[in-house]
Amino acid sequence: MLELFRAFSLRCVQIEEAIRLGDDQRVTALDRHVEPLVEAILACRAANLLEVYMQLQFVSHLISQDADDSASVTEHTSVLSYLLDRYFGAHGPDWRVPSPQDVRIEPPPAYVPDTDNGQFLNAVILESLPDRVAVLTRDYRYLYSNPANSAHLNRKPMELIGRHLSEFIGEERFAECAKHKLDACFAGEQIDYSYARSAGSGESRQVRCRMSPLRDAGGTVIGALLVMEDLDRLSQAA
């Protein structure tokens, strides 16, 4: 499925470039390949929870993109309903609220600082964070990027899916630092370190980077969750 997302992302970039150049003929030619890619992505059956999330997020992206076209929104909503039923229909929790006498209120789970507390796939939480958040696959490619991280890289979230980390931090920095830390994370370690990044005009800012292994239901590490905090912003706020 990741290859399909890479192809879709590349096609979007090519179309935007053709529009920028005013090449209507190339836009038309490229646009013919978009619908088959969308259909292939939606027809593909996810192999794990992250791919389920990617597929659902993709449909949400289509709904947002075609918000002014009621027919398209209706069609995409039907697809979203179909996917939810495919993955969760037979095993999902009952949406009906039990009667009060059947409700047993359990104490909430303890909050553990500096962990995701099981919420790493909650888009509402990730997309509202001021910190930069990303999910990388084991081949160092973006699987998810929240708006803060996408804005920092001057890209749209969908444009980052499938792109290699080295494209954005440079081959040298990737080989000398990021790769080793990600490999340790993929081996099961929690990584926490700080680094300085250029902020322009000869200034630099301190950034804290935390890497957490993401595991599938069987316990196999399938990626890494990265959270990057601007420490200078935090100290100024304090």
Side-chain angles (χ1 to χ4, degrees):
M1 185 183 293
L2 186 56
E3 290 299 326
L4 290 172
F5 277 110
R6 289 172 185 164
F8 180 83
S9 177
L10 176 61
R11 190 69 67 217
C12 289
V13 171
Q14 291 173 333
I15 290 174
E16 287 186 0
E17 179 64 13
I19 292 174
R20 188 183 67 81
L21 296 174
D23 190 342
D24 294 338
Q25 185 175 356
R26 179 165 172 76
V27 171
T28 301
L30 290 169
D31 195 54
R32 285 198 293 265
H33 299 282
V34 172
E35 188 172 346
L37 275 173
V38 170
E39 292 177 353
I41 290 171
L42 298 179
C44 189
R45 190 174 186 87
N48 53 57
L49 184 59
L50 284 178
E51 288 192 354
V52 171
Y53 176 72
M54 287 173 64
Q55 209 170 31
L56 296 179
Q57 186 190 43
F58 180 71
V59 179
S60 297
H61 166 76
L62 294 179
I63 292 173
S64 175
Q65 180 177 271
D66 298 332
D68 296 331
D69 185 344
S70 59
S72 294
V73 169
T74 300
E75 181 180 347
H76 297 328
T77 302
S78 298
V79 172
L80 182 61
S81 178
Y82 166 75
L83 291 175
L84 289 170
D85 187 62
R86 171 199 277 180
Y87 297 122
F88 307 112
H91 307 288
D94 196 333
W95 60 270
R96 292 167 296 184
V97 178
S99 58
Q101 61 268 26
D102 295 330
V103 176
R104 180 181 178 184
I105 301 176
E106 298 288 345
Y111 176 78
V112 182
D114 293 330
T115 70
D116 60 79
N117 286 276
Q119 298 296 323
F120 64 86
L121 289 181
N122 189 320
V124 174
I125 292 176
L126 295 184
E127 297 195 2
S128 63
L129 287 176
D131 299 328
R132 294 162 51 205
V133 181
V135 174
L136 298 180
T137 56
R138 292 186 64 105
D139 59 351
Y140 319 106
R141 296 181 183 275
Y142 280 98
L143 183 61
Y144 169 82
S145 172
N146 76 340
N149 188 61
S150 301
H152 175 76
L153 298 175
N154 197 27
R155 294 289 192 280
K156 297 176 182 178
M158 288 301 299
E159 293 175 352
L160 288 171
I161 293 178
R163 304 282 289 276
H164 199 281
L165 178 63
S166 63
E167 293 185 47
F168 303 97
I169 68 172
E171 292 283 353
E172 183 177 351
R173 183 176 161 197
F174 172 75
E176 293 182 356
C177 179
K179 183 179 185 302
H180 304 298
K181 295 186 183 299
L182 282 167
D183 287 343
C185 185
F186 295 146
E189 294 184 33
Q190 294 275 349
I191 308 298
D192 190 334
Y193 70 103
S194 297
Y195 65 90
R197 70 169 178 85
S198 174
S201 303
E203 299 180 354
S204 64
R205 300 183 73 87
Q206 286 295 314
V207 177
R208 179 189 183 191
C209 178
R210 287 176 290 164
M211 301 179 178
S212 302
L214 292 184
R215 304 176 186 273
D216 62 15
T220 302
V221 176
I222 57 176
L225 172 70
L226 278 63
V227 179
M228 288 147 287
E229 296 176 283
D230 186 328
L231 297 180
D232 291 319
R233 174 179 59 79
L234 292 176
S235 62
Q236 290 168 3

